[in-house]
Amino acid sequence: MTKSDLHVAESYRQRLLISRADIQRRVTELAQQISKDYAGRIPILIGVLNGAFIFLADLVRQLQIDCEVDFVKISSYGCGKESSGAVRMLKDLDADIRDRDVLVVEDIVDSGLSVQWLRRYFEEREPRSLRVVAFLRKVGAARVPYEVEYIGFDIPNAFVVGYGLDLGQRYRNLPDIYVLEEVSPP
Ligand code: 5GP
């Protein structure tokens, strides 16, 4: 049995959405673009925990420039599938980002609330520049206007797990991205 054969949960059906090969190809492209755009600079990449840890790890290893890494943790979904809408900082930056080139690394943009909140939060710390790279963006899910400079994949408005993304803290270790569809009881 391979990791991709894991059954994610009794009440859900999993459907492969993005394979690990497609993920690696796209991450390489993003890293090339970012390396070009930040040539001659040393950006600080800020991973948004927990979901972005795998994407960030893959991305930085493909960069052809020097960079620094820091993390923040914010609350959003709790442990279920529905967003509470409220964002709180649970673990703040260690680094001082004033006058730095900041690249925020997000797992997925859904309503846009987190990314909009994070942009404001970092903007107040007066970085030299501020951009966001999101591995996934859900099409048609925006509840607020937001800006994201780099996108890995646009995906349908469905709940996904794998490659860092969880359901109740599980399935982050799946190497591919799956859509979870609820199976209705007979
Ligand atoms: P937003 O604030 O844009 O609505 O949501 C952003 C956060 O919600 C993401 O960083 C992620 O933690 C969580 N999230 C949104 N959609 C999904 C999804 O389809 N699957 C998982 N596992 N988390 C999601």
Side-chain angles (χ1 to χ4, degrees):
M1 183 160 133
T2 66
K3 268 192 185 165
S4 58
D5 296 324
L6 285 173
H7 289 292
V8 287
E10 291 284 309
S11 49
Y12 292 98
R13 197 182 4 243
Q14 66 186 84
R15 184 167 56 79
L16 180 68
L17 186 67
I18 310 170
S19 72
R20 64 197 80 181
D22 286 343
I23 291 172
Q24 289 317 317
R25 245 191 312 275
R26 186 68 189 123
V27 171
T28 302
E29 283 172 7
L30 283 171
Q32 283 168 350
Q33 185 63 51
I34 290 165
S35 301
K36 209 168 119 209
D37 294 351
Y38 287 89
R41 316 215 63 94
I42 303 179
I44 175 158
L45 276 72
I46 300 178
V48 183
L49 294 170
N50 292 336
F53 80 109
I54 292 182
F55 175 45
L56 179 103
D58 280 353
L59 187 68
V60 290
R61 283 179 293 175
Q62 303 269 356
L63 289 180
Q64 291 134 20
I65 51 168
D66 284 342
C67 69
E68 294 177 22
V69 173
D70 200 354
F71 292 94
V72 292
K73 183 166 179 159
I74 57 171
S75 67
S76 52
Y77 270 65
C79 60
K81 281 174 63 186
E82 296 306 317
S83 175
S84 64
V87 181
R88 270 183 317 126
M89 184 60 78
L90 300 177
K91 183 237 167 274
D92 207 342
L93 287 173
D94 292 323
D96 180 4
I97 58 167
R98 178 185 289 263
D99 292 330
R100 299 296 308 272
D101 292 298
V102 170
L103 180 60
V104 181
V105 183
E106 265 277 27
D107 52 357
I108 184 165
V109 180
D110 183 359
S111 68
L113 283 163
S114 305
V115 84
Q116 188 207 44
W117 189 89
L118 280 167
R119 283 195 97 108
R120 279 208 202 117
Y121 189 86
F122 293 135
E123 213 54 92
E124 280 171 15
R125 279 142 190 86
E126 302 180 340
R128 180 179 178 276
S129 68
L130 179 64
R131 289 185 184 170
V132 176
V133 54
F135 176 61
L136 301 174
R137 174 174 64 182
K138 283 191 195 174
V139 173
R143 279 164 54 193
V144 291
Y146 62 81
E147 224 183 310
V148 173
E149 283 78 5
Y150 306 96
I151 306 275
F153 297 92
D154 275 324
I155 62 164
N157 192 359
F159 193 80
V160 293
V161 294
Y163 199 66
L165 289 152
D166 73 313
L167 174 66
Q169 298 304 329
R170 288 177 60 188
Y171 321 123
R172 294 191 195 277
N173 57 319
L174 297 174
D176 313 276
I177 293 283
Y178 293 89
V179 172
L180 283 194
E181 287 156 347
E182 225 153 331
V183 180
S184 28

